[in-house]
């Protein structure tokens, strides 16, 4: 009662975080960016129990990371790359932006957005490493090592430390004190055909808990070592967002350094924005796109990328040989993906409208991070034909349904005892608080608060979502 057990067939070749009990906690998909040609998938890395491969079928693919919290147990955090976070006592009780200080931070992660709300996909398309370095938002782009070796330092997508990395550890953290914490005691990453999701649909509707969300402006990310004054840093940041030189922005706004120098940084930004008309903004955006296209064409020519379908430095004979090896019968998707050319993640095109961040001030249980896993990237342009052979026929689908149904039955059989054991104390009332009758006595316990204050038939007819005694959300109803 209260909980739903649902089986899903996994589409899109994702990696999934699974609890010891066999229920799905979170998932990660790779998707091509809007209007980008090609496909992307995640598969196990052969011979590596904690390794996974994120593979693109197109070199230079702009892609998105799609992260999903598959529970109704509260907010989670997912970091792709960087370092494991740790609890810092001196910052633990902060309720402002300084909470994210010391070892609470992870500045070297790949994904800029990393908060996962229950049952809501988080689609991240911009590089956090580039944002940390410049304050500007750029697309995530996958580039093979063959192509990157031909690019010169300082080119688009190679703006310094961290750019071009091709291997990232994964960390998922439950909200501190949430119901999900117990499910993180032992976890494993996998690429399953099907998953079982256990949740309480009522927790997704109606009033939600208040969250401390604050705004963070990209100007605060401008590196101090660049040696720019306050006004120069603001102009440079805003110009980079459009993709034009700082001097070009000053020309369009008809402003000079002398007029901006006496102003504080926040006011400089406001003055610049007010000076830009809608036509000015569109013109600057067009100039930036043309500039990016020109740079991208030059880099492709330097890397020897003749067409989107040809791997840099690969002959037609080599490609046919790779395709033949990859499409052999009996090879798993991981073995096929394992033939990919290693690739790194670089910063691609500029993204507009991603300047201000919504910063969640929330405690996460850094001591209960997910199991070890590392995501490697590669490019395999002949994998697309092999992906079509992984379709499941009708007979296999029926067998998959049967297997999932059996797993759900096994989970439900012991679910009451598991939840009952996790309640600290049971608080009993003499009469049902709905019908006000004491004969019979209340015969069910509300999870998680532990109140035995209702008749089972009363709660089923009333469709309560919160405990009538303490107002805690009802995640499950445990009958005696």
């Amino acid at each position: 009662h209260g909980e739903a057990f649902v089986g899903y067939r996994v589409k899109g070749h994702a990696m999934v975080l699974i609890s010891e009990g066999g229920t799905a906690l979170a998932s990660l998909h790779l998707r091509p960016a809007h209007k980008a040609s090609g496909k992307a998938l995640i598969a196990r890395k052969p011979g590596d129990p904690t390794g996974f491969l994120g593979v693109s079928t197109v070199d230079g693919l702009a892609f998105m990371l799609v992260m999903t919290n598959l529970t109704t147990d509260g907010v989670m955090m997912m970091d792709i790359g960087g370092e494991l976070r740790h609890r810092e006592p001196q910052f633990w009780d902060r309720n402002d932006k300084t909470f994210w200080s010391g070892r609470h931070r992870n500045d070297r992660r790949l994904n800029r957005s990393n908060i996962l709300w229950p049952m809501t996909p988080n689609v991240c398309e911009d590089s956090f490493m580039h944002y940390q370095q410049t304050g500007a938002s750029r697309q995530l782009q996958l580039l093979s090592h063959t192509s990157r070796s031909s690019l010169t330092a300082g080119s688009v997508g190679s703006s310094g430390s961290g750019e071009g990395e091709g291997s990232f550890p994964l960390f998922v953290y439950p909200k501190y004190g949430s119901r999900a914490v117990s499910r993180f005691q032992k976890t494993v990453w996998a690429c399953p055909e099907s998953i079982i999701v256990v949740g309480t649909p009522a927790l997704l509707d109606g009033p939600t808990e208040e969250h401390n969300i604050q705004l963070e402006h990209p100007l605060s990310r401008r590196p101090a070592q660049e040696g720019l004054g306050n006004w120069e840093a603001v102009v440079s940041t805003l110009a980079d967002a459009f993709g034009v030189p700082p001097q070009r922005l000053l020309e369009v706004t008809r402003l000079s350094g002398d007029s901006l120098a006496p102003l504080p940084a926040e006011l400089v930004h406001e003055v610049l924005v007010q000076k830009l008309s809608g036509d000015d903004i569109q013109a600057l955006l067009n100039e930036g796109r043309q500039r990016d296209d020109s740079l991208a064409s030059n880099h492709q020519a330097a890397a020897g990328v003749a067409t989107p379908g040809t791997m840099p430095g690969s002959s037609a004979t080599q490609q046919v040989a790779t395709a033949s090896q990859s499409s052999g019968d009996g090879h798993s998707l991981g073995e096929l993906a394992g033939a990919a050319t290693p690739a790194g993640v670089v910063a691609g095109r500029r993204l507009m409208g991603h300047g201000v961040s919504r910063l969640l001030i929330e405690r996460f249980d850094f001591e209960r991070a997910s199991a070890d896993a590392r995501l490697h990237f590669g490019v395999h342009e002949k994998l697309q034909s092999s992906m079509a052979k992984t379709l499941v026929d009708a007979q296999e689908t029926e067998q998959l349904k049967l297997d999932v149904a059996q797993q759900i039955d096994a989970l439900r059989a012991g679910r009451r005892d598991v939840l009952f054991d996790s309640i600290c104390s049971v608080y009993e009332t003499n009469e049902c608080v709905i019908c006000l009758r004491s004969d019979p006595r209340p015969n069910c316990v509300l999870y998680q608060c532990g109140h035995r204050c209702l008749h089972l038939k009363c709660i089923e007819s009333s469709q309560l979502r919160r405990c009538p005694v303490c107002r805690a959300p009802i995640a499950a109803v445990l009958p005696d």
Side-chain angles (χ1 to χ4, degrees):
H1 296 277
E3 287 190 318
F5 295 73
V6 185
Y8 294 96
R9 179 183 166 200
V10 180
K11 298 181 67 177
H13 304 288
M15 58 187 298
V16 180
L17 181 65
I18 301 173
S19 71
E20 184 178 22
T23 60
L25 300 175
S27 65
L28 173 64
H29 287 77
L30 294 187
R31 289 284 183 269
H34 182 57
K35 295 184 179 180
S37 60
K39 295 184 179 181
L41 61 87
I42 298 178
R44 277 201 170 277
K45 187 177 182 182
D48 185 349
T50 62
F52 294 81
L53 288 167
V55 182
S56 161
T57 61
V58 174
D59 196 5
L61 180 74
F63 69 95
M64 303 181 296
L65 299 161
V66 183
M67 303 158 284
T68 308
N69 176 351
L70 297 173
T71 78
T72 59
D73 297 339
V75 65
M76 293 181 186
M77 173 187 286
M78 180 183 290
D79 287 347
I80 303 170
E83 301 172 349
L84 181 68
R85 301 180 192 241
H86 296 275
R87 179 171 175 171
E88 287 271 19
Q90 61 178 317
F91 301 117
W92 188 250
D93 293 324
R94 304 282 181 90
N95 59 4
D96 58 13
K97 297 176 184 178
T98 60
F99 175 86
W100 297 113
S101 303
R103 294 191 297 173
H104 287 183
R105 296 185 63 84
N106 180 11
D107 288 340
R108 289 186 55 78
R109 70 179 190 267
L110 179 63
N111 52 316
R112 181 176 172 190
S113 58
N114 65 339
I115 301 300
L116 310 186
W117 302 99
M119 296 295 179
T120 304
N122 178 338
V123 181
C124 175
E125 59 179 332
D126 52 333
S127 167
F128 185 68
M129 288 188 291
H130 185 82
Y131 175 72
Q132 282 289 104
Q133 296 166 4
T134 68
S137 296
R138 285 180 176 267
Q139 281 184 319
L140 295 167
Q141 186 178 15
L142 203 58
L143 204 61
S144 70
H145 290 176
T146 308
S147 297
R148 286 174 48 234
S149 63
S150 301
L151 301 183
T152 57
S155 61
V156 174
S158 50
S159 60
S161 177
E163 293 288 358
E165 292 183 14
S167 176
F168 300 87
L170 271 69
F171 310 104
V172 182
Y173 309 96
K175 178 185 173 183
Y176 184 79
S178 70
R179 180 184 171 195
V181 170
S182 62
R183 300 168 72 180
F184 272 73
Q185 289 184 359
K186 187 175 182 180
T187 58
V188 62
W189 286 97
C191 292
E193 280 190 282
S194 62
I195 58 173
I196 297 174
V197 174
V198 178
T200 306
L203 297 182
L204 300 176
D205 301 323
T208 58
E209 56 185 317
E210 294 294 329
H211 290 279
N212 181 3
I213 298 177
Q214 301 182 16
L215 299 182
E216 183 181 46
H217 199 279
L219 295 181
S220 64
R221 296 293 183 194
R222 200 66 188 176
Q225 64 268 26
E226 288 190 5
L228 301 178
N230 284 340
W231 73 269
E232 292 175 302
V234 175
V235 172
S236 183
T237 299
L238 190 57
D240 187 67
F242 287 111
V244 299
Q247 188 57 40
R248 176 57 179 154
L249 179 61
L250 292 177
E251 291 174 2
V252 173
T253 57
R254 300 179 179 83
L255 294 171
S256 66
D258 292 338
S259 63
L260 297 175
L263 304 177
E266 294 78 7
L267 189 54
V268 171
H269 184 270
E270 184 176 345
V271 170
L272 287 168
V273 171
Q274 287 181 350
K275 286 286 187 179
L276 291 172
S277 66
D279 291 341
D280 291 335
I281 291 175
Q282 190 59 52
L284 289 174
L285 286 173
N286 290 337
E287 289 182 27
R289 292 190 186 100
Q290 292 174 2
R291 191 164 178 259
D292 277 353
D293 288 342
S294 177
L295 288 171
S297 298
N298 292 339
H299 295 154
Q300 284 187 346
V305 182
T307 64
T310 304
M311 286 287 291
S314 298
S315 67
T317 303
Q318 291 172 323
Q319 290 185 44
V320 171
T322 302
S324 175
Q325 295 168 4
S326 300
S327 59
D329 293 336
H331 286 193
S332 69
L333 185 60
E335 291 173 326
L336 296 174
T341 301
V345 181
V346 299
R349 288 180 177 273
R350 291 173 178 80
L351 293 168
M352 296 300 299
H354 290 243
V356 177
S357 300
R358 298 173 71 244
L359 194 64
L360 175 66
I361 312 301
E362 183 63 83
R363 296 174 180 174
F364 290 90
D365 201 328
F366 300 135
E367 309 306 318
R368 290 288 180 91
S370 54
D372 291 342
R374 181 169 286 270
L375 181 62
H376 307 262
F377 284 95
V379 175
H380 191 341
E381 297 189 349
K382 288 297 182 180
L383 187 62
Q384 188 164 349
S385 59
S386 301
M387 290 170 62
K389 300 182 180 182
T390 63
L391 298 176
V392 181
D393 60 28
Q395 183 177 355
E396 289 175 314
T397 298
E398 290 303 315
Q399 184 61 48
L400 202 59
K401 290 180 180 179
L402 180 61
D403 293 342
V404 168
Q406 291 175 346
Q407 293 175 48
I408 289 177
D409 288 341
L411 284 171
R412 292 182 64 187
R415 188 66 175 169
R416 180 193 178 279
D417 293 339
V418 170
L419 295 182
F420 204 93
D421 290 344
S422 67
I423 297 176
C424 296
S425 300
V426 175
Y427 309 92
E428 186 172 357
T429 62
N430 293 326
E431 60 184 20
C432 172
V433 298
I434 292 181
C435 69
L436 302 181
R437 295 177 181 175
S438 58
D439 187 20
R441 296 174 66 86
N443 60 353
C444 62
V445 177
L446 304 184
Y447 180 82
Q448 282 178 298
C449 66
H451 280 112
R452 183 186 275 119
C453 59
L454 299 166
H455 294 134
L456 183 60
K457 64 179 181 179
C458 292
I459 191 172
E460 288 178 339
S461 61
S462 63
Q463 297 182 342
L464 284 177
R465 292 180 178 175
R466 291 182 177 271
C467 172
V469 175
C470 67
R471 304 303 298 162
I474 300 174
V477 180
L478 311 179
D480 290 342

